[in-house]
Amino acid sequence: MTAAPDGYGRIIAPAEVRFERLLPGPIETVWAFLTDEKKRGEWLAPGPMELKVGGKVKLAFKHADLSPHQAPAPEKYKSLDSKGHESHHEITQIDPPRLLAMTWPESSEVIFELKPQGSQVLLTVTHRRLASREEMLDVSGGWHTHLDILVERANGRTPPAFWIVFGDIEQEYERRYPKD
């Protein structure tokens, strides 16, 4: 399996979406972007993470902090963006440096899988047990954007502002994901 050429996630089951990104290795470097609070804070959200099954994870999301470049949030996300947002998770599976899974709010689960491919690493993110198409659209726009920022960070580049990367991604997923 290789990373999708356009970077878009895809529905793989009625309540699951999957994203793939090819990142520079070694695998331990990509693992650190998932598990090290500071490195995770460069593309997703900082916060403590107990690296064991049952371990607690706290993520402090503040999209404006992901780049020194700034752009206004869409109206739908203005309050979330200005205040930030904290979420609590629990690790459900861990096999360093290849697998990390955790609960996600609204009773879903996110699974990160790492697989070496030559000097690169394929990161596969699966978000499962999503309650509705609307939730699939919401998480897809977010994961797509966060993973694009991770690609920039992993390649040693400064990413554009989160909301610039986010752009019209939600509308594209609206088009791509079939209505019930």
Side-chain angles (χ1 to χ4, degrees), residues 11-164:
I11 297 171
I12 60 166
E16 287 185 35
V17 292
R18 179 168 288 160
F19 304 85
E20 298 172 331
R21 295 294 186 277
L22 205 51
L23 302 167
I27 195 170
E28 293 79 11
T29 300
V30 180
W31 181 254
F33 273 108
L34 300 177
T35 59
D36 178 85
E37 178 176 359
K38 184 174 185 306
K39 291 189 85 55
R40 187 178 358 92
E42 294 177 6
W43 70 277
L44 182 64
M49 176 182 279
E50 298 174 327
L51 293 174
K52 62 182 183 178
V53 171
K56 302 300 178 206
V57 179
K58 181 171 81 173
L59 299 178
F61 289 89
K62 184 94 162 125
H63 297 104
D65 293 347
L66 298 178
S67 174
H69 306 292
Q70 298 297 302
E75 195 59 42
K76 175 180 175 181
Y77 298 106
K78 276 195 192 298
S79 66
L80 174 69
D81 196 53
S82 64
K83 295 182 225 170
H85 156 123
E86 192 174 278
S87 62
H88 299 269
H89 314 262
E90 183 175 306
I91 293 178
T92 56
Q93 299 176 68
I94 187 166
D95 181 15
R98 299 188 185 284
L99 174 72
L100 176 66
M102 67 180 80
T103 61
W104 207 259
E106 309 306 323
S107 303
S108 62
E109 182 181 37
V110 174
I111 303 163
F112 301 93
E113 297 172 276
L114 303 177
K115 182 178 179 184
Q117 290 195 340
S119 64
Q120 297 182 304
V121 177
L122 178 64
L123 168 62
T124 302
V125 179
T126 304
H127 199 139
R128 59 191 207 121
R129 295 197 309 258
L130 295 162
S132 65
R133 181 177 183 271
E134 183 62 33
E135 191 176 357
M136 290 174 90
L137 291 169
D138 285 347
V139 303
S140 292
W143 281 121
H144 187 116
T145 305
H146 282 289
L147 291 170
D148 282 357
I149 289 173
L150 173 58
V151 168
E152 293 302 303
R153 292 292 188 187
N155 282 289
R157 299 185 294 256
T158 301
F162 181 88
W163 298 113
I164 294 294

Side-chain angles (χ1 to χ4, degrees), residues 164-179:
I164 294 294
V165 178
F166 187 80
D168 295 325
I169 287 174
E170 273 190 329
Q171 291 83 359
E172 182 61 24
Y173 281 107
E174 174 71 38
R175 188 184 70 72
R176 287 172 179 252
Y177 289 178
K179 293 185 170 117

